[in-house]
Amino acid sequence: MATHSLPELGFAFDALEPTIDRKTMEIHHGKHHQTYVTNLNAALENEPSLQSQSLEQLLANIESLPASIQTPVRNNGGGHLNHSLFWQVIAPPTGANEMSPALKEAIDKAFGSFEGFKETFTKAATTRFGSGWAWLVVNESKELEVYSTANQDNPIMDGKQAILGLDVWEHAYYLNYQNRRPEYIANFFSIINWEAVSKAYEKAIG
Ligand code: MN
């Protein structure tokens, strides 16, 4: 029973080079992400009533799930949701990748300027100790906010809608950058798919 499945990438494994190398993408998508999907499906195998729920529903109500599957759903459902967003919000730089006027305005309002956003996001990603994610989210007041989460926790668990995420687990960068997480974070800004982030923003605002 495979309720959840691995999404296909919208680009080739080597399309993000040199920012993210081919081998990292192959392992990250084909092994790490696939394992989250496989383990999520295994956790839901004996819970037919939960199989039709969306990942967002499952994670937003994690406390109401049977105790025995809360941790596997949190880790693997979170892993599946986080990576599914990650593949959407990165893309080869095309030169025709502008953010929408609405998102630009919201970023200026929340962070003063794009540079202010970049600084805040970089700090969140750099200072997340161990494994986790840095996020740009739409919060409960429909305003933008940057923060980070540990492990595979997704902002939906805090009632926030992620519109941009950066994976700072070592598996996301170690082959190419080793311990140089700050360099990986700095380069990440050149492969953000602002069109996709803008669409996610519009959806989150409603
Ligand atoms: Mn990852």
Side-chain angles (χ1 to χ4, degrees):
M1 170 92 217
T3 307
H4 297 275
S5 57
L6 185 69
E8 280 188 34
L9 286 180
F11 45 81
F13 287 119
D14 63 359
L16 305 177
E17 290 190 346
T19 302
I20 303 179
D21 60 288
R22 179 182 59 82
K23 193 78 189 162
T24 295
M25 285 302 301
E26 283 175 359
I27 298 170
H28 201 173
H29 179 261
K31 304 288 185 191
H32 289 280
H33 190 168
Q34 178 62 63
T35 300
Y36 297 125
V37 172
T38 302
N39 291 344
L40 173 64
N41 285 331
L44 297 176
E45 204 173 0
N46 298 316
E47 303 291 343
S49 67
L50 299 178
Q51 289 169 3
S52 57
Q53 288 197 13
S54 70
L55 270 177
E56 286 88 346
Q57 277 178 304
L58 289 171
L59 291 166
N61 303 297
I62 193 85
E63 311 280 325
S64 67
L65 301 184
S68 63
I69 65 164
Q70 285 183 16
T71 300
V73 169
R74 180 178 187 165
N75 291 339
N76 297 291
H80 181 28
L81 185 60
N82 295 347
H83 289 84
S84 297
L85 175 70
F86 191 46
W87 312 136
Q88 296 285 325
V89 296
I90 52 178
T94 58
N97 182 19
E98 303 269 318
M99 69 172 73
S100 66
L103 177 58
K104 191 180 179 307
E105 195 183 318
I107 284 180
D108 288 347
K109 187 178 170 221
F111 307 103
S113 63
F114 182 76
E115 280 311 305
F117 155 71
K118 204 171 161 180
E119 232 172 77
T120 309
F121 191 90
T122 297
K123 191 176 175 201
T126 310
T127 57
R128 164 50 54 191
F129 183 77
S131 297
W133 291 73
W135 303 104
L136 175 62
V137 301
V138 174
N139 67 19
E140 305 83 335
S141 316
K142 301 284 181 192
E143 285 167 348
L144 291 179
E145 188 184 319
V146 159
Y147 80 129
S148 74
T149 58
N151 303 315
Q152 294 295 353
D153 285 358
N154 182 279
I156 200 83
M157 296 167 66
D158 304 318
K160 303 171 199 294
Q161 186 62 51
I163 63 168
L164 173 67
L166 173 59
D167 189 346
V168 294
W169 284 56
E170 282 187 345
H171 70 225
Y173 62 86
Y174 205 84
L175 287 181
N176 199 23
Y177 295 92
Q178 291 83 49
N179 64 328
R180 303 188 307 280
R181 189 196 284 189
E183 197 180 318
Y184 161 69
I185 295 165
N187 290 348
F188 167 70
F189 287 95
S190 67
I191 56 163
I192 295 175
N193 182 343
W194 285 113
E195 284 175 12
V197 180
S198 300
K199 276 187 195 145
Y201 175 68
E202 273 137 46
K203 199 175 159 201
I205 289 294

